[in-house]
Protein backbone atom coordinates (compact mmCIF):
# COMPACT_ATOMS: atom_id res chain seq x y z
CA UNK A 1 0.00 0.00 0.00
CA UNK A 2 2.88 2.37 0.84
CA UNK A 3 4.48 1.77 -2.57
CA UNK A 4 1.13 2.41 -4.27
CA UNK A 5 0.73 5.74 -2.44
CA UNK A 6 4.27 6.74 -3.42
CA UNK A 7 3.49 6.07 -7.09
CA UNK A 8 0.33 8.20 -6.89
CA UNK A 9 2.39 11.04 -5.36
CA UNK A 10 5.00 10.82 -8.13
CA UNK A 11 2.31 10.91 -10.82
CA UNK A 12 0.72 13.93 -9.15
CA UNK A 13 4.03 15.79 -9.17
CA UNK A 14 4.61 14.91 -12.83
CA UNK A 15 1.22 16.33 -13.73
CA UNK A 16 1.91 19.48 -11.71
CA UNK A 17 5.40 20.05 -13.12
CA UNK A 18 4.28 19.57 -16.71
CA UNK A 19 0.76 20.98 -16.48
CA UNK A 20 1.60 23.18 -19.45
CA UNK A 21 1.44 20.04 -21.60
CA UNK A 22 -2.30 20.65 -21.68
CA UNK A 23 -2.75 21.77 -25.29
CA UNK A 24 -5.12 24.56 -24.23
CA UNK A 25 -2.16 26.28 -22.51
CA UNK A 26 0.18 26.05 -25.52
CA UNK A 27 -0.11 29.24 -27.53
CA UNK A 28 1.89 31.94 -29.29
CA UNK A 29 1.45 35.64 -28.59
CA UNK A 30 2.68 38.31 -31.00
CA UNK A 31 4.51 40.86 -28.86
CA UNK A 32 5.64 43.28 -31.55
CA UNK A 33 5.05 44.24 -35.17
CA UNK A 34 6.72 47.32 -36.60
CA UNK A 35 8.35 48.66 -39.74
CA UNK A 36 12.05 49.50 -39.64
CA UNK A 37 15.12 49.32 -41.84
CA UNK A 38 15.12 45.52 -41.99
CA UNK A 39 11.50 45.39 -43.15
CA UNK A 40 8.34 44.66 -41.21
CA UNK A 41 9.47 42.93 -38.03
CA UNK A 42 7.39 40.36 -36.16
CA UNK A 43 8.24 39.32 -32.61
CA UNK A 44 6.50 36.71 -30.48
CA UNK A 45 6.59 34.83 -27.21
CA UNK A 46 4.95 31.72 -25.76
CA UNK A 47 2.41 31.01 -23.09
CA UNK A 48 4.75 28.51 -21.47
CA UNK A 49 8.29 27.11 -21.75
CA UNK A 50 6.79 23.84 -22.97
CA UNK A 51 5.15 25.63 -25.89
CA UNK A 52 8.50 27.17 -26.80
CA UNK A 53 10.28 23.81 -26.72
CA UNK A 54 7.60 22.16 -28.89
CA UNK A 55 7.86 24.92 -31.52
CA UNK A 56 11.65 24.69 -31.54
CA UNK A 57 11.18 21.12 -32.71
CA UNK A 58 8.29 21.49 -35.15
CA UNK A 59 9.02 25.01 -36.42
CA UNK A 60 6.79 27.94 -37.35
CA UNK A 61 4.78 28.94 -40.38
CA UNK A 62 4.64 32.66 -41.21
CA UNK A 63 1.82 33.90 -43.46
CA UNK A 64 0.76 37.31 -44.74
CA UNK A 65 -2.38 38.67 -46.37
CA UNK A 66 -2.99 42.12 -47.83
CA UNK A 67 -6.05 43.69 -46.25
CA UNK A 68 -8.12 46.09 -48.35
CA UNK A 69 -11.66 47.14 -47.54
CA UNK A 70 -14.27 46.43 -50.18
CA UNK A 71 -12.17 43.86 -52.03
CA UNK A 72 -14.14 40.71 -52.81
CA UNK A 73 -12.83 37.18 -52.68
CA UNK A 74 -11.90 36.96 -49.03
CA UNK A 75 -8.48 36.92 -47.46
CA UNK A 76 -5.70 35.36 -49.53
CA UNK A 77 -2.83 34.12 -47.37
CA UNK A 78 0.71 33.96 -48.75
CA UNK A 79 3.30 31.78 -47.01
CA UNK A 80 6.50 33.67 -46.22
CA UNK A 81 8.20 30.86 -44.28
CA UNK A 82 6.92 27.31 -43.86
CA UNK A 83 9.51 25.77 -41.53
CA UNK A 84 11.13 28.47 -39.43
CA UNK A 85 13.27 26.83 -36.73
CA UNK A 86 16.23 27.82 -34.57
CA UNK A 87 19.53 27.67 -36.43
CA UNK A 88 21.68 24.58 -36.14
CA UNK A 89 24.49 24.40 -33.61
CA UNK A 90 27.13 24.66 -36.35
CA UNK A 91 25.49 27.78 -37.82
CA UNK A 92 25.35 29.25 -34.32
CA UNK A 93 29.05 28.59 -33.75
CA UNK A 94 29.97 30.33 -37.01
CA UNK A 95 27.81 33.31 -36.11
CA UNK A 96 29.31 33.59 -32.63
CA UNK A 97 32.82 33.38 -34.11
CA UNK A 98 31.98 36.26 -36.45
CA UNK A 99 30.36 38.25 -33.60
CA UNK A 100 32.44 37.46 -30.49
CA UNK A 101 31.16 40.48 -28.55
CA UNK A 102 27.46 39.55 -28.79
CA UNK A 103 27.13 37.71 -25.49
CA UNK A 104 23.34 37.60 -25.81
CA UNK A 105 23.71 35.57 -29.01
CA UNK A 106 25.74 33.10 -26.97
CA UNK A 107 23.11 33.04 -24.21
CA UNK A 108 20.32 32.20 -26.66
CA UNK A 109 22.45 29.50 -28.28
CA UNK A 110 23.18 27.94 -24.90
CA UNK A 111 19.48 28.01 -24.01
CA UNK A 112 18.54 26.10 -27.16
CA UNK A 113 21.55 23.83 -27.79
CA UNK A 114 23.14 23.54 -24.36
CA UNK A 115 23.59 20.04 -22.98
CA UNK A 116 21.32 19.02 -20.13
CA UNK A 117 22.80 16.72 -17.52
CA UNK A 118 20.69 13.57 -16.99
CA UNK A 119 19.18 13.08 -13.56
CA UNK A 120 17.78 10.11 -11.72
CA UNK A 121 14.01 9.87 -11.74
CA UNK A 122 12.64 11.37 -8.54
CA UNK A 123 10.18 13.99 -7.38
CA UNK A 124 12.94 16.56 -6.92
CA UNK A 125 14.50 15.82 -10.32
CA UNK A 126 11.14 16.44 -12.01
CA UNK A 127 10.76 19.75 -10.22
CA UNK A 128 14.35 20.68 -11.10
CA UNK A 129 13.78 19.86 -14.78
CA UNK A 130 10.68 22.04 -14.84
CA UNK A 131 12.58 24.94 -13.25
CA UNK A 132 15.49 24.43 -15.65
CA UNK A 133 13.20 24.61 -18.70
CA UNK A 134 11.64 27.82 -17.38
CA UNK A 135 15.09 29.34 -16.85
CA UNK A 136 16.24 28.39 -20.35
CA UNK A 137 13.13 29.93 -21.90
CA UNK A 138 13.50 33.12 -19.85
CA UNK A 139 17.15 33.42 -20.92
CA UNK A 140 16.24 32.98 -24.58
CA UNK A 141 13.44 35.57 -24.39
CA UNK A 142 15.71 38.08 -22.66
CA UNK A 143 18.51 37.56 -25.18
CA UNK A 144 16.08 37.88 -28.09
CA UNK A 145 14.74 41.14 -26.68
CA UNK A 146 18.13 42.87 -26.79
CA UNK A 147 19.94 41.14 -29.66
CA UNK A 148 18.57 41.03 -33.19
CA UNK A 149 20.86 38.15 -34.16
CA UNK A 150 19.86 36.17 -31.07
CA UNK A 151 16.17 36.60 -31.93
CA UNK A 152 16.68 35.61 -35.58
CA UNK A 153 18.80 32.56 -34.77
CA UNK A 154 16.39 31.49 -32.02
CA UNK A 155 13.42 31.74 -34.43
CA UNK A 156 11.68 34.31 -32.25
CA UNK A 157 11.81 37.09 -34.83
CA UNK A 158 10.87 37.34 -38.51
CA UNK A 159 11.66 40.17 -40.91
CA UNK A 160 9.42 40.67 -43.93
CA UNK A 161 11.67 42.56 -46.33
CA UNK A 162 8.97 42.52 -49.04
CA UNK A 163 6.44 44.55 -47.04
CA UNK A 164 5.44 47.79 -48.76
CA UNK A 165 5.11 50.94 -46.72
CA UNK A 166 1.52 52.17 -46.57
CA UNK A 167 -0.09 48.76 -47.15
CA UNK A 168 -2.33 47.11 -44.56
CA UNK A 169 -1.45 43.53 -43.68
CA UNK A 170 -2.62 40.57 -41.70
CA UNK A 171 0.13 38.33 -40.36
CA UNK A 172 -0.33 34.85 -38.99
CA UNK A 173 2.31 32.99 -36.98
CA UNK A 174 1.42 29.37 -36.39
CA UNK A 175 3.35 26.27 -35.34
CA UNK A 176 3.73 23.22 -37.54
CA UNK A 177 1.82 21.17 -34.97
CA UNK A 178 -1.71 21.13 -33.59
CA UNK A 179 -0.33 21.21 -30.05
CA UNK A 180 0.17 24.98 -30.10
CA UNK A 181 -2.29 27.74 -31.01
CA UNK A 182 -1.02 30.39 -33.42
CA UNK A 183 -1.57 34.15 -33.45
CA UNK A 184 -2.85 36.74 -35.97
CA UNK A 185 -2.18 40.48 -36.03
CA UNK A 186 -3.42 43.29 -38.28
CA UNK A 187 -1.37 46.42 -38.88
CA UNK A 188 -0.49 49.19 -41.29
CA UNK A 189 3.05 49.11 -42.65
CA UNK A 190 4.25 52.54 -41.63
CA UNK A 191 7.40 53.64 -39.80
CA UNK A 192 7.08 53.93 -36.04
CA UNK A 193 7.92 57.32 -34.61
CA UNK A 194 10.04 56.84 -31.49
CA UNK A 195 9.91 59.63 -28.91
CA UNK A 196 13.12 61.35 -27.90
CA UNK A 197 14.09 60.52 -24.32
CA UNK A 198 14.09 63.66 -22.20
CA UNK A 199 16.01 63.78 -18.94
CA UNK A 200 13.77 65.54 -16.38
CA UNK A 201 16.13 65.76 -13.42
CA UNK A 202 19.88 65.84 -12.93
CA UNK A 203 21.22 65.31 -9.40
CA UNK A 204 24.90 66.06 -8.94
CA UNK A 205 26.74 64.49 -6.02
CA UNK A 206 30.27 63.74 -4.97
CA UNK A 207 31.84 61.76 -7.83
CA UNK A 208 28.37 60.84 -9.05
CA UNK A 209 25.69 62.26 -11.34
CA UNK A 210 22.13 60.89 -11.28
CA UNK A 211 19.91 61.21 -14.36
CA UNK A 212 16.14 60.71 -14.04
CA UNK A 213 13.46 60.37 -16.69
CA UNK A 214 9.85 59.14 -16.77
CA UNK A 215 10.17 55.49 -17.75
CA UNK A 216 6.41 54.94 -18.11
CA UNK A 217 6.29 57.35 -21.05
CA UNK A 218 8.74 55.24 -23.05
CA UNK A 219 7.94 51.67 -21.96
CA UNK A 220 5.86 51.01 -25.08
CA UNK A 221 8.81 51.95 -27.31
CA UNK A 222 12.02 50.92 -25.54
CA UNK A 223 13.09 47.81 -23.64
CA UNK A 224 16.24 49.41 -22.25
CA UNK A 225 18.26 52.60 -22.44
CA UNK A 226 21.89 53.32 -23.35
CA UNK A 227 23.55 56.14 -21.43
CA UNK A 228 26.58 57.85 -22.96
CA UNK A 229 29.02 60.34 -21.50
CA UNK A 230 31.05 62.91 -23.41
CA UNK A 231 34.33 63.98 -21.87
CA UNK A 232 34.84 67.62 -22.80
CA UNK A 233 37.98 68.09 -20.75
CA UNK A 234 40.36 70.41 -22.53
CA UNK A 235 43.56 68.85 -23.81
Amino acid sequence: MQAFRTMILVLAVVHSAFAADDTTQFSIKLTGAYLEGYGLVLRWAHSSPGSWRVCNYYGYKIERAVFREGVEGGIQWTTLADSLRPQSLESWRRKVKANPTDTLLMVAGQAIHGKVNPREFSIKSIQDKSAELSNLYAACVLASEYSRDAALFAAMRFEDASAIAGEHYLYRVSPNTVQVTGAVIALAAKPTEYPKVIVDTVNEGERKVELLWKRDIYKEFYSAFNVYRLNERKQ
Side-chain angles (χ1 to χ4, degrees), residues 5-75:
R5 288 176 179 173
T6 302
M7 180 59 71
I8 291 178
L9 177 58
V10 170
L11 291 175
V13 172
V14 170
H15 181 269
S16 176
F18 297 97
D21 286 342
D22 181 353
T23 57
T24 61
Q25 298 184 38
F26 274 17
S27 62
I28 299 169
K29 179 182 179 182
L30 283 162
T31 58
Y34 48 90
L35 188 67
E36 62 175 28
Y38 301 108
L40 202 150
V41 178
L42 300 177
R43 295 284 312 283
W44 56 85
H46 288 267
S47 61
S48 68
S51 175
W52 167 67
R53 182 57 63 90
V54 168
C55 286
N56 284 348
Y57 179 81
Y58 287 100
Y60 304 88
K61 184 177 183 179
I62 315 296
E63 299 170 281
R64 184 188 73 189
V66 178
F67 177 74
R68 297 190 180 96
E69 294 185 1
V71 177
E72 298 181 357
I75 296 175

Side-chain angles (χ1 to χ4, degrees), residues 65-138:
V66 178
F67 177 74
R68 297 190 180 96
E69 294 185 1
V71 177
E72 298 181 357
I75 296 175
Q76 301 295 322
W77 291 100
T78 300
T79 300
L80 303 178
D82 59 2
S83 187
L84 183 67
R85 291 185 177 87
Q87 293 292 310
S88 67
L89 180 58
E90 287 304 315
S91 296
W92 220 297
R93 285 173 173 167
R94 289 193 296 268
K95 189 68 174 178
V96 168
K97 186 176 181 180
N99 299 271
T101 60
D102 191 347
T103 55
L104 293 173
L105 177 65
M106 303 176 197
V107 168
Q110 181 66 25
I112 292 176
H113 292 293
K115 292 183 179 180
V116 179
N117 296 325
R119 296 185 178 93
E120 295 182 0
F121 182 79
S122 66
I123 296 174
K124 187 177 186 305
S125 70
I126 294 172
Q127 294 172 328
D128 289 344
K129 288 289 288 183
S130 179
E132 182 181 35
L133 180 58
S134 295
N135 291 335
L136 291 174
Y137 174 60

Side-chain angles (χ1 to χ4, degrees), residues 97-234:
K97 186 176 181 180
N99 299 271
T101 60
D102 191 347
T103 55
L104 293 173
L105 177 65
M106 303 176 197
V107 168
Q110 181 66 25
I112 292 176
H113 292 293
K115 292 183 179 180
V116 179
N117 296 325
R119 296 185 178 93
E120 295 182 0
F121 182 79
S122 66
I123 296 174
K124 187 177 186 305
S125 70
I126 294 172
Q127 294 172 328
D128 289 344
K129 288 289 288 183
S130 179
E132 182 181 35
L133 180 58
S134 295
N135 291 335
L136 291 174
Y137 174 60
C140 190
V141 170
L142 181 64
S144 299
E145 181 69 21
Y146 296 110
S147 168
R148 170 176 174 260
D149 286 337
L152 289 172
F153 268 61
M156 297 190 72
R157 172 184 175 122
F158 180 81
E159 298 172 356
D160 181 8
S162 64
I164 300 174
E167 284 281 14
H168 289 72
Y169 295 110
L170 293 172
Y171 283 92
R172 182 164 60 191
V173 179
S174 54
N176 290 324
T177 172
V178 296
Q179 289 180 269
V180 183
T181 304
V184 178
I185 191 171
L187 72 155
K190 60 181 182 180
T192 301
E193 295 183 4
Y194 294 93
K196 181 180 179 180
V197 178
I198 299 175
V199 175
D200 300 296
T201 306
V202 178
N203 298 324
E204 298 185 23
E206 185 176 354
R207 304 180 64 85
K208 181 178 70 173
V209 176
E210 185 179 53
L211 307 177
L212 303 176
W213 58 89
K214 296 180 175 63
R215 185 182 180 88
D216 287 346
I217 298 177
Y218 311 105
K219 65 181 181 180
E220 298 297 328
F221 299 93
Y222 306 116
S223 299
F225 302 89
N226 294 321
V227 179
Y228 301 91
R229 184 183 68 185
L230 176 64
N231 189 351
E232 294 185 336
R233 180 183 303 173
K234 293 182 179 180

